[in-house]
Amino acid sequence: MLKTALFIGSSSLPLSADDFLSLLASCKGNRTSLIKYDANLKADRRDLNTPDYMIPRYCGLIRLTGTFPLNCEPNLTELINCGAITPVALHFVRNHGAVPNLDWSSHRIQVCGNVNRRRDFTMDDLKRMHSVSLPILMVSAANRGKEQNMLEQTNGFNWGAGAISNTIWTGVPLRDVLRIAGVTKVTPERQFVCLSGPSGELSGGVDGSYGTCIPLSRALDPSHDVIIAYAQNGEKLRPDHGYPVRVVIPGFIGGRMVKWLTKIEVTPGPSTNFYHLRENRILPSHINSELAEREGWWDRPEYTFNELNINSVISCPAHGDTIEISDRNFTVKGYAYSGGGRSIIRVEVSLDNGQTWRLARHYHPCPTTKYGKQWCWAYWTHDIPRRDLKGVHYLMCRAWDESNNTQPSDLTWNTSGVGNNHYFKIRVNEIGSDKVSFDHPAEPGSLTGGWMGSISGGHAVMFTKAPKLTVDRARLEFANVAREFNPLILPDATQSLSSMVSVSPVLQKQHYTPPPPGAKLYRMREIEEHDSEEDAWILIKDRVYDVNRYISEGHHPGGNASITMNAGTDATEDFEAVHSAKAWKQLEAFAIGYLDPRDNPAAESISEKDVDNSKTASSSTPASRVALTTGPVNLLQFALAHPEMYGDTLVGEAAEAEAFDRMWDGAQRDAGDAPIALDPKKWIPLICDAKVPLSHDTILLRLKLESEGHQCGLPVGYHLYLRGDRNGKKVMRAYTPSSLNGTLGAVEFVIKIYFPNDHPNFPEGGQLTQYLNAVNVGDVVEVKGPMGHIKYAGCGRLLVDKNEHIIDKMTMVGGGTGVAPMLQMIVAVLANPADKTQIKFLFANKTTKDILLKYTLDRLQRENPDRFSVHYTVSKGDEHWSGSIGRVNKKMIEEYCFPAHDSRAQSKTVALLCGPPSLEEDTCIPALKELGYENENIIQY
């Protein structure tokens, strides 16, 4: 029963339940904690009006950025009490925007760049590869970031000391994925591995993706254990943690571990992604965001924060704990970690502001790797006689790692708000003669408390020692305060924090202030009417803001949903939790008035009230985009190498032969009055019934109609439009089915996939073809049609627009995918014994491997030699090629096609063309005219 509860949805993963439990035991993990926190999760009501409304979450997580997007951490005591392996439900979350709605079966990871073999990996591809399962610590670069914000607001959120989690990750070594792509060593052209999530996910950058990079040398080094992970604690990833796949880089900051991974690119230089350049950089302390932009500091790679720096934290006593002074011992507890696989070798505790240190007991609950790397945290404890706490002002800890790195004594501020690792200091307050209480530096998020205060930029300690410290741009001295305090001249330990801390009056929480005389006033019901993405007002601290112009500009870092979810409501709490003084200044431009005092409860007593933010926003919930990305891969070769993927399904030429039989049967069958499944004025969703590789870049796609008795209603010569979503945009294209109308219950297409960088003029490849390549059985493709201007009515009757041609010979010249409409008409003619029309087809391609449906065309010629012939020409051939080499020209048309009909003869010949403009306009039409074809008899698809 316990095993079932713990491994929900994990039965398909390579890591069995027994293997996981064995690994959990080796890491001294607490199975009961995993079951307790990971069972019975449900959607949080706070997410009701956000794009994340259906994601199950633990309600006890401390949210740092209001309601949306989710950025949260667990309570520190709760985290440590769960044991060495963190329940997934308690894992901290860092989201830049909405969680994308991705699907295991359709998701693809594109491997590209300077690789020998570009290709896509499906999730099932990864699952079939050799997998590893490792306990790995994940730490936000901004762990303990609120302490920096208390000195001065950074670009980061108010992270406490709980932005850290230790779980067991399962996945495929990144080096194995790169090896398949032909990348096995570092070269001048191969220096970095750039990693990115879905495009269109975020508002920043060129394509709206979150991306970063790591050195290729690290990715290829087996001792560094970089993995493409698809499971966490024995089950598939959860949406907040990257489902279906993410990168896990042991010893690095969490910001490098890209969630919802869609692209792996090998490059000569580091990533140019917006978020790689603008986040997780430790700039000099005098550099703020404005100066960094103006002087180009963001672009300096030497300030990139990759490997974790050493850190330690006291978890017990917790903030607010009180104990009695007695002869008994008190056990201080905490965690410590370092980056780069370095083990913690000691942890020390000080009770005298760092003048002397006591050695704590520490241990690593998780074993090192076979290379001696330690990827997890250490736990430590130290027993202190309670009477030793009398007269103590600060309880402090520091750690050392195997490289003898230790923590600095002083806080060093940086504008990103990351990398804070100075001594962790808890203030000890005497309560009477027999008790002491403890204050942590800062409580996470908008929680109040902590000896450093709760308001950004409000920490400036007042003391009498000369010279007095001042909080200015030379903020490097800030952390000396706690270390240099003279206990003899400190204020009484029971004195309130507000009497010790000088807080900027601008940043203090204000009492109610009436609107200025003559100000424009709005009733709450008026504000609530502007509650949509198209018309959004918000209320913040009793002021009304019209944010429509800001929304239309699309500049919000978290996306417009972060604003529109609060449209028509009081957004004070959400705004204050996240934004800096700069944001408050930007907001001023959109102010239009004040809340009418009649609707303000605080106005009734003219006293400070809690902000009422219980009103429900009614902003629309945008659909999450499904990232459907692919990369070049030899589709047929891959299928042949992985027969387990296709079971009894035929691929390649065998699949084409099977499709030929279905096509021929459909051409000979009259659909009669069977119901028509499609509509030329309406998009109809059809379910993918099969997707089979025919060649290195071509698939056969079969879509099911409404029932097995439905027909397409497709005249010969007409086409259908296929449509799908790619990168958040609708893409569509016309395709002629390879199946004919008599094929009931399904429609089939032969699709050539145009991968990125296949052609220098189209570096992004074909958007719809890549979408179709990502479609899997059971997925939906939208179809509309039929449409067209050419219709073959049988027995030589050809209708072009409103003109009818009675013919007995057809010259066809096609190029590449232009074979599809030609094939449809060829089969319609040949499958009808009463139709005596003759056809000659000149088919041009770049290379022999680019020839589509060669088996089908050769078979049609072989079985109908008196009525059909096909001749191939390629731009590049080899010694085994028996067809023509070179572009289509007048001589080829004259030799392998019908001559123009003699107007004096009763027979009539037309020429049908389907190919790129260079083939039709520049070559075929001039040549056909020179050979005697009249304009009306040259017909272009």
Side-chain angles (χ1 to χ4, degrees), residues 369-421:
T369 70
K370 67 179 181 180
Y371 295 100
K373 301 287 187 180
Q374 178 53 256
W375 299 131
C376 301
W377 52 10
Y379 279 177
W380 62 267
T381 63
H382 182 63
D383 293 332
I384 299 175
R386 294 189 181 212
R387 292 200 180 278
D388 287 0
L389 293 171
K390 287 285 289 184
V392 171
H393 296 280
Y394 282 90
L395 176 62
M396 304 158 57
C397 72
R398 71 181 181 186
W400 298 73
D401 69 19
E402 61 182 272
S403 295
N404 285 309
N405 297 312
T406 191
Q407 296 169 247
S409 59
D410 305 339
L411 182 153
T412 301
W413 186 94
N414 62 82
T415 192
S416 295
V418 297
N420 183 33
N421 72 330

Short mmCIF file of all heavy atoms in Angstrom, two decimals, residues 369-421:
data_model
loop_
_atom_site.label_atom_id
_atom_site.label_comp_id
_atom_site.label_asym_id
_atom_site.label_seq_id
_atom_site.Cartn_x
_atom_site.Cartn_y
_atom_site.Cartn_z
N THR A 369 30.13 9.81 -4.94
CA THR A 369 30.11 9.02 -6.17
C THR A 369 31.40 8.22 -6.29
O THR A 369 32.33 8.37 -5.50
CB THR A 369 29.97 9.95 -7.39
OG1 THR A 369 31.19 10.69 -7.56
CG2 THR A 369 28.82 10.92 -7.21
N LYS A 370 31.46 7.38 -7.31
CA LYS A 370 32.67 6.57 -7.50
C LYS A 370 33.87 7.45 -7.84
O LYS A 370 35.02 6.99 -7.74
CB LYS A 370 32.44 5.52 -8.59
CG LYS A 370 32.24 6.09 -9.99
CD LYS A 370 32.05 4.96 -10.99
CE LYS A 370 31.87 5.49 -12.42
NZ LYS A 370 31.68 4.38 -13.40
N TYR A 371 33.62 8.70 -8.24
CA TYR A 371 34.71 9.64 -8.51
C TYR A 371 35.03 10.49 -7.29
O TYR A 371 35.82 11.43 -7.37
CB TYR A 371 34.34 10.55 -9.68
CG TYR A 371 34.17 9.81 -10.99
CD1 TYR A 371 32.90 9.48 -11.47
CD2 TYR A 371 35.28 9.44 -11.75
CE1 TYR A 371 32.75 8.80 -12.68
CE2 TYR A 371 35.14 8.77 -12.96
CZ TYR A 371 33.87 8.45 -13.41
OH TYR A 371 33.72 7.78 -14.59
N GLY A 372 34.39 10.18 -6.18
CA GLY A 372 34.67 10.93 -4.95
C GLY A 372 33.94 12.26 -4.85
O GLY A 372 34.26 13.09 -4.00
N LYS A 373 32.93 12.48 -5.69
CA LYS A 373 32.16 13.73 -5.66
C LYS A 373 31.03 13.62 -4.64
O LYS A 373 30.36 12.60 -4.53
CB LYS A 373 31.58 14.03 -7.04
CG LYS A 373 32.61 14.16 -8.17
CD LYS A 373 33.39 15.45 -8.06
CE LYS A 373 34.28 15.65 -9.28
NZ LYS A 373 35.06 16.91 -9.20
N GLN A 374 30.82 14.70 -3.94
CA GLN A 374 29.70 14.79 -3.01
C GLN A 374 28.71 15.82 -3.54
O GLN A 374 28.98 17.00 -3.55
CB GLN A 374 30.19 15.22 -1.61
CG GLN A 374 29.09 15.39 -0.58
CD GLN A 374 28.19 14.18 -0.44
OE1 GLN A 374 27.05 14.19 -0.94
NE2 GLN A 374 28.69 13.13 0.21
N TRP A 375 27.56 15.32 -4.01
CA TRP A 375 26.58 16.19 -4.64
C TRP A 375 25.45 16.60 -3.68
O TRP A 375 24.51 17.24 -4.12
CB TRP A 375 25.96 15.51 -5.86
CG TRP A 375 26.92 15.14 -6.96
CD1 TRP A 375 27.01 13.93 -7.59
CD2 TRP A 375 27.89 15.98 -7.60
NE1 TRP A 375 27.98 13.96 -8.57
CE2 TRP A 375 28.53 15.22 -8.60
CE3 TRP A 375 28.29 17.30 -7.40
CZ2 TRP A 375 29.54 15.72 -9.40
CZ3 TRP A 375 29.30 17.81 -8.21
CH2 TRP A 375 29.92 17.04 -9.20
N CYS A 376 25.56 16.25 -2.41
CA CYS A 376 24.44 16.48 -1.50
C CYS A 376 24.88 17.32 -0.30
O CYS A 376 26.05 17.63 -0.13
CB CYS A 376 23.86 15.15 -1.03
SG CYS A 376 23.27 14.12 -2.39
N TRP A 377 23.94 17.66 0.52
CA TRP A 377 24.21 18.49 1.69
C TRP A 377 24.77 17.67 2.84
O TRP A 377 24.74 16.44 2.85
CB TRP A 377 22.99 19.27 2.12
CG TRP A 377 21.72 18.47 2.35
CD1 TRP A 377 21.57 17.11 2.40
CD2 TRP A 377 20.42 19.03 2.52
NE1 TRP A 377 20.26 16.77 2.60
CE2 TRP A 377 19.52 17.93 2.68
CE3 TRP A 377 19.90 20.30 2.58
CZ2 TRP A 377 18.15 18.10 2.88
CZ3 TRP A 377 18.54 20.48 2.77
CH2 TRP A 377 17.68 19.39 2.92
N ALA A 378 25.31 18.40 3.82
CA ALA A 378 25.73 17.80 5.08
C ALA A 378 24.79 18.30 6.16
O ALA A 378 24.30 19.43 6.12
CB ALA A 378 27.17 18.20 5.41
N TYR A 379 24.54 17.43 7.14
CA TYR A 379 23.82 17.84 8.35
C TYR A 379 24.83 18.02 9.48
O TYR A 379 25.85 17.31 9.53
CB TYR A 379 22.81 16.75 8.74
CG TYR A 379 21.52 16.77 7.98
CD1 TYR A 379 20.55 15.80 8.19
CD2 TYR A 379 21.24 17.76 7.04
CE1 TYR A 379 19.35 15.79 7.51
CE2 TYR A 379 20.06 17.77 6.34
CZ TYR A 379 19.11 16.79 6.57
OH TYR A 379 17.92 16.80 5.89
N TRP A 380 24.55 18.93 10.35
CA TRP A 380 25.46 19.13 11.48
C TRP A 380 24.67 19.43 12.75
O TRP A 380 23.54 19.93 12.70
CB TRP A 380 26.47 20.24 11.18
CG TRP A 380 25.88 21.61 10.96
CD1 TRP A 380 25.53 22.17 9.76
CD2 TRP A 380 25.57 22.59 11.96
NE1 TRP A 380 25.02 23.44 9.95
CE2 TRP A 380 25.03 23.72 11.30
CE3 TRP A 380 25.70 22.62 13.36
CZ2 TRP A 380 24.63 24.86 11.98
CZ3 TRP A 380 25.30 23.76 14.04
CH2 TRP A 380 24.77 24.87 13.35
N THR A 381 25.28 19.11 13.88
CA THR A 381 24.69 19.38 15.20
C THR A 381 25.79 19.82 16.15
O THR A 381 26.98 19.49 15.97
CB THR A 381 23.99 18.14 15.79
OG1 THR A 381 24.97 17.10 16.01
CG2 THR A 381 22.89 17.64 14.89
N HIS A 382 25.39 20.56 17.17
CA HIS A 382 26.34 20.95 18.22
C HIS A 382 25.57 21.17 19.52
O HIS A 382 24.59 21.92 19.55
CB HIS A 382 27.09 22.24 17.85
CG HIS A 382 28.10 22.64 18.87
ND1 HIS A 382 29.19 21.87 19.19
CD2 HIS A 382 28.18 23.75 19.67
CE1 HIS A 382 29.91 22.47 20.11
NE2 HIS A 382 29.31 23.61 20.43
N ASP A 383 26.02 20.50 20.56
CA ASP A 383 25.38 20.62 21.88
C ASP A 383 26.03 21.77 22.65
O ASP A 383 27.25 21.79 22.86
CB ASP A 383 25.53 19.32 22.67
CG ASP A 383 24.74 18.18 22.05
OD1 ASP A 383 23.72 18.47 21.39
OD2 ASP A 383 25.16 17.01 22.19
N ILE A 384 25.18 22.69 23.07
CA ILE A 384 25.64 23.86 23.82
C ILE A 384 25.01 23.82 25.21
O ILE A 384 23.78 23.72 25.32
CB ILE A 384 25.24 25.17 23.12
CG1 ILE A 384 25.87 25.25 21.73
CG2 ILE A 384 25.64 26.40 23.95
CD1 ILE A 384 25.43 26.44 20.92
N PRO A 385 25.80 23.91 26.25
CA PRO A 385 25.19 24.07 27.58
C PRO A 385 24.32 25.32 27.60
O PRO A 385 24.76 26.40 27.17
CB PRO A 385 26.41 24.22 28.50
CG PRO A 385 27.53 23.56 27.76
CD PRO A 385 27.26 23.84 26.31
N ARG A 386 23.12 25.16 28.03
CA ARG A 386 22.17 26.29 27.96
C ARG A 386 22.69 27.52 28.70
O ARG A 386 22.40 28.65 28.30
CB ARG A 386 20.81 25.85 28.49
CG ARG A 386 20.15 24.79 27.63
CD ARG A 386 18.73 24.52 28.05
NE ARG A 386 18.13 23.47 27.21
CZ ARG A 386 16.85 23.42 26.88
NH1 ARG A 386 16.01 24.34 27.34
NH2 ARG A 386 16.40 22.45 26.14
N ARG A 387 23.43 27.30 29.78
CA ARG A 387 23.92 28.45 30.54
C ARG A 387 24.94 29.25 29.75
O ARG A 387 25.16 30.43 30.04
CB ARG A 387 24.51 27.97 31.86
CG ARG A 387 23.45 27.40 32.81
CD ARG A 387 23.90 27.39 34.25
NE ARG A 387 22.83 26.84 35.10
CZ ARG A 387 21.80 27.54 35.55
NH1 ARG A 387 21.68 28.80 35.20
NH2 ARG A 387 20.89 26.96 36.32
N ASP A 388 25.56 28.61 28.72
CA ASP A 388 26.50 29.35 27.87
C ASP A 388 25.81 30.40 27.01
O ASP A 388 26.48 31.27 26.43
CB ASP A 388 27.27 28.39 26.98
CG ASP A 388 28.30 27.58 27.74
OD1 ASP A 388 28.41 27.77 28.97
OD2 ASP A 388 28.98 26.74 27.11
N LEU A 389 24.50 30.29 26.91
CA LEU A 389 23.76 31.25 26.09
C LEU A 389 23.47 32.56 26.82
O LEU A 389 23.01 33.52 26.20
CB LEU A 389 22.44 30.63 25.60
CG LEU A 389 22.61 29.46 24.60
CD1 LEU A 389 21.27 28.77 24.36
CD2 LEU A 389 23.18 29.96 23.28
N LYS A 390 23.70 32.60 28.14
CA LYS A 390 23.52 33.84 28.89
C LYS A 390 24.55 34.86 28.42
O LYS A 390 25.74 34.59 28.35
CB LYS A 390 23.70 33.59 30.38
CG LYS A 390 22.55 32.85 31.05
CD LYS A 390 21.33 33.76 31.25
CE LYS A 390 21.62 34.78 32.34
NZ LYS A 390 20.40 35.61 32.60
N GLY A 391 24.09 36.03 28.06
CA GLY A 391 24.98 37.09 27.62
C GLY A 391 25.42 37.00 26.18
O GLY A 391 26.17 37.86 25.69
N VAL A 392 24.98 35.96 25.46
CA VAL A 392 25.33 35.82 24.04
C VAL A 392 24.42 36.70 23.21
O VAL A 392 23.21 36.76 23.44
CB VAL A 392 25.20 34.34 23.60
CG1 VAL A 392 25.33 34.22 22.09
CG2 VAL A 392 26.25 33.49 24.30
N HIS A 393 25.00 37.40 22.28
CA HIS A 393 24.20 38.27 21.41
C HIS A 393 23.93 37.65 20.04
O HIS A 393 22.88 37.88 19.46
CB HIS A 393 24.90 39.63 21.27
CG HIS A 393 25.00 40.36 22.55
ND1 HIS A 393 23.96 41.08 23.08
CD2 HIS A 393 26.02 40.46 23.44
CE1 HIS A 393 24.34 41.62 24.24
NE2 HIS A 393 25.58 41.26 24.48
N TYR A 394 24.89 36.88 19.55
CA TYR A 394 24.69 36.22 18.26
C TYR A 394 25.21 34.80 18.31
O TYR A 394 26.31 34.54 18.81
CB TYR A 394 25.39 36.99 17.12
CG TYR A 394 24.62 38.21 16.69
CD1 TYR A 394 24.90 39.43 17.31
CD2 TYR A 394 23.64 38.16 15.72
CE1 TYR A 394 24.19 40.56 16.95
CE2 TYR A 394 22.93 39.29 15.36
CZ TYR A 394 23.20 40.48 15.97
OH TYR A 394 22.50 41.61 15.63
N LEU A 395 24.43 33.90 17.80
CA LEU A 395 24.82 32.51 17.59
C LEU A 395 25.13 32.37 16.11
O LEU A 395 24.27 32.62 15.26
CB LEU A 395 23.67 31.58 18.01
CG LEU A 395 23.84 30.08 17.77
CD1 LEU A 395 25.01 29.53 18.56
CD2 LEU A 395 22.55 29.36 18.13
N MET A 396 26.35 31.96 15.77
CA MET A 396 26.80 32.00 14.37
C MET A 396 27.35 30.64 13.96
O MET A 396 27.82 29.86 14.80
CB MET A 396 27.89 33.07 14.19
CG MET A 396 27.46 34.45 14.64
SD MET A 396 28.84 35.55 15.05
CE MET A 396 29.75 35.53 13.54
N CYS A 397 27.30 30.37 12.65
CA CYS A 397 27.93 29.16 12.13
C CYS A 397 28.67 29.46 10.84
O CYS A 397 28.38 30.43 10.14
CB CYS A 397 26.89 28.06 11.90
SG CYS A 397 25.78 28.33 10.50
N ARG A 398 29.65 28.63 10.56
CA ARG A 398 30.38 28.68 9.29
C ARG A 398 30.84 27.27 8.96
O ARG A 398 30.99 26.42 9.84
CB ARG A 398 31.56 29.64 9.35
CG ARG A 398 32.71 29.15 10.21
CD ARG A 398 33.86 30.15 10.25
NE ARG A 398 34.98 29.66 11.05
CZ ARG A 398 36.06 30.40 11.35
NH1 ARG A 398 36.15 31.66 10.93
NH2 ARG A 398 37.04 29.87 12.07
N ALA A 399 31.06 27.01 7.67
CA ALA A 399 31.48 25.69 7.21
C ALA A 399 32.78 25.80 6.41
O ALA A 399 33.14 26.88 5.91
CB ALA A 399 30.39 25.05 6.36
N TRP A 400 33.48 24.67 6.30
CA TRP A 400 34.68 24.55 5.49
C TRP A 400 34.52 23.35 4.57
O TRP A 400 33.95 22.34 4.96
CB TRP A 400 35.91 24.31 6.37
CG TRP A 400 36.22 25.42 7.33
CD1 TRP A 400 35.53 25.74 8.45
CD2 TRP A 400 37.31 26.33 7.25
NE1 TRP A 400 36.11 26.80 9.10
CE2 TRP A 400 37.22 27.19 8.37
CE3 TRP A 400 38.38 26.50 6.35
CZ2 TRP A 400 38.14 28.21 8.61
CZ3 TRP A 400 39.29 27.52 6.59
CH2 TRP A 400 39.17 28.36 7.71
N ASP A 401 35.03 23.46 3.33
CA ASP A 401 34.97 22.30 2.44
C ASP A 401 36.37 21.72 2.23
O ASP A 401 37.36 22.24 2.77
CB ASP A 401 34.28 22.63 1.12
CG ASP A 401 35.07 23.57 0.21
OD1 ASP A 401 36.30 23.71 0.41
OD2 ASP A 401 34.46 24.16 -0.69
N GLU A 402 36.45 20.65 1.44
CA GLU A 402 37.70 19.93 1.28
C GLU A 402 38.78 20.73 0.57
O GLU A 402 39.95 20.33 0.58
CB GLU A 402 37.46 18.61 0.56
CG GLU A 402 36.90 18.74 -0.84
CD GLU A 402 36.63 17.38 -1.48
OE1 GLU A 402 37.56 16.84 -2.09
OE2 GLU A 402 35.51 16.88 -1.34
N SER A 403 38.41 21.84 -0.05
CA SER A 403 39.41 22.73 -0.65
C SER A 403 39.78 23.85 0.32
O SER A 403 40.45 24.81 -0.07
CB SER A 403 38.88 23.33 -1.95
OG SER A 403 38.70 22.34 -2.91
N ASN A 404 39.31 23.73 1.57
CA ASN A 404 39.54 24.73 2.61
C ASN A 404 38.93 26.08 2.29
O ASN A 404 39.39 27.12 2.74
CB ASN A 404 41.04 24.87 2.93
CG ASN A 404 41.55 23.70 3.76
OD1 ASN A 404 40.95 23.36 4.78
ND2 ASN A 404 42.62 23.07 3.30
N ASN A 405 37.88 26.06 1.48
CA ASN A 405 37.06 27.25 1.33
C ASN A 405 36.20 27.39 2.58
O ASN A 405 35.70 26.40 3.12
CB ASN A 405 36.14 27.13 0.11
CG ASN A 405 36.91 27.02 -1.18
OD1 ASN A 405 37.83 27.79 -1.43
ND2 ASN A 405 36.55 26.04 -2.01
N THR A 406 35.98 28.61 3.01
CA THR A 406 35.07 28.85 4.12
C THR A 406 34.23 30.07 3.81
O THR A 406 34.44 30.76 2.81
CB THR A 406 35.82 29.01 5.44
OG1 THR A 406 34.88 28.99 6.53
CG2 THR A 406 36.60 30.33 5.48
N GLN A 407 33.26 30.34 4.66
CA GLN A 407 32.33 31.44 4.43
C GLN A 407 32.94 32.76 4.88
O GLN A 407 33.67 32.81 5.89
CB GLN A 407 31.02 31.19 5.18
CG GLN A 407 30.26 29.98 4.72
CD GLN A 407 29.13 29.62 5.66
OE1 GLN A 407 29.16 28.58 6.32
NE2 GLN A 407 28.11 30.48 5.73
N PRO A 408 32.63 33.83 4.18
CA PRO A 408 33.10 35.14 4.63
C PRO A 408 32.29 35.60 5.84
O PRO A 408 31.16 35.17 6.05
CB PRO A 408 32.85 36.04 3.42
CG PRO A 408 31.70 35.40 2.72
CD PRO A 408 31.86 33.91 2.93
N SER A 409 32.89 36.48 6.61
CA SER A 409 32.18 37.00 7.78
C SER A 409 31.16 38.06 7.39
O SER A 409 30.17 38.27 8.10
CB SER A 409 33.18 37.58 8.77
OG SER A 409 33.92 38.63 8.15
N ASP A 410 31.40 38.72 6.27
CA ASP A 410 30.59 39.88 5.91
C ASP A 410 29.69 39.60 4.72
O ASP A 410 30.06 38.86 3.80
CB ASP A 410 31.49 41.07 5.54
CG ASP A 410 32.47 41.40 6.64
OD1 ASP A 410 32.20 41.01 7.80
OD2 ASP A 410 33.50 42.03 6.35
N LEU A 411 28.55 40.23 4.72
CA LEU A 411 27.64 40.16 3.57
C LEU A 411 28.18 41.05 2.46
O LEU A 411 28.56 42.20 2.70
CB LEU A 411 26.24 40.60 3.99
CG LEU A 411 25.12 40.55 2.94
CD1 LEU A 411 23.77 40.36 3.63
CD2 LEU A 411 25.06 41.81 2.07
N THR A 412 28.22 40.52 1.26
CA THR A 412 28.60 41.29 0.09
C THR A 412 27.39 41.43 -0.82
O THR A 412 26.92 40.44 -1.39
CB THR A 412 29.76 40.61 -0.68
OG1 THR A 412 30.88 40.48 0.19
CG2 THR A 412 30.15 41.44 -1.89
N TRP A 413 26.89 42.63 -0.95
CA TRP A 413 25.68 42.90 -1.74
C TRP A 413 26.00 42.83 -3.22
O TRP A 413 27.08 43.22 -3.68
CB TRP A 413 25.14 44.28 -1.39
CG TRP A 413 23.83 44.64 -2.00
CD1 TRP A 413 22.60 44.49 -1.44
CD2 TRP A 413 23.60 45.26 -3.27
NE1 TRP A 413 21.62 44.95 -2.27
CE2 TRP A 413 22.20 45.43 -3.42
CE3 TRP A 413 24.44 45.67 -4.31
CZ2 TRP A 413 21.62 46.00 -4.55
CZ3 TRP A 413 23.87 46.24 -5.44
CH2 TRP A 413 22.47 46.40 -5.56
N ASN A 414 25.08 42.31 -4.03
CA ASN A 414 25.18 42.42 -5.48
C ASN A 414 23.78 42.61 -6.05
O ASN A 414 22.79 42.18 -5.44
CB ASN A 414 25.89 41.22 -6.11
CG ASN A 414 25.15 39.92 -5.89
OD1 ASN A 414 24.21 39.59 -6.61
ND2 ASN A 414 25.54 39.15 -4.86
N THR A 415 23.68 43.23 -7.20
CA THR A 415 22.38 43.64 -7.73
C THR A 415 21.50 42.47 -8.12
O THR A 415 20.28 42.60 -8.18
CB THR A 415 22.58 44.59 -8.93
OG1 THR A 415 21.32 45.21 -9.26
CG2 THR A 415 23.09 43.85 -10.15
N SER A 416 22.09 41.29 -8.39
CA SER A 416 21.28 40.12 -8.71
C SER A 416 20.68 39.46 -7.48
O SER A 416 19.75 38.65 -7.59
CB SER A 416 22.12 39.09 -9.47
OG SER A 416 22.54 39.59 -10.72
N GLY A 417 21.25 39.76 -6.31
CA GLY A 417 20.73 39.16 -5.08
C GLY A 417 21.06 37.68 -4.97
O GLY A 417 20.27 36.91 -4.43
N VAL A 418 22.22 37.27 -5.46
CA VAL A 418 22.57 35.85 -5.45
C VAL A 418 23.89 35.64 -4.73
O VAL A 418 24.66 36.58 -4.49
CB VAL A 418 22.68 35.30 -6.89
CG1 VAL A 418 21.34 35.39 -7.59
CG2 VAL A 418 23.76 36.04 -7.69
N GLY A 419 24.16 34.38 -4.38
CA GLY A 419 25.46 34.01 -3.82
C GLY A 419 25.70 34.44 -2.39
O GLY A 419 26.85 34.42 -1.94
N ASN A 420 24.65 34.80 -1.65
CA ASN A 420 24.85 35.26 -0.27
C ASN A 420 25.28 34.09 0.62
O ASN A 420 24.53 33.13 0.78
CB ASN A 420 23.56 35.88 0.26
CG ASN A 420 23.74 36.43 1.65
OD1 ASN A 420 24.82 36.92 2.01
ND2 ASN A 420 22.70 36.36 2.46
N ASN A 421 26.46 34.17 1.22
CA ASN A 421 26.97 33.02 1.99
C ASN A 421 27.81 33.45 3.19
O ASN A 421 28.65 32.69 3.66
CB ASN A 421 27.76 32.08 1.10
CG ASN A 421 29.11 32.65 0.68
OD1 ASN A 421 29.27 33.86 0.54
ND2 ASN A 421 30.10 31.77 0.47
#
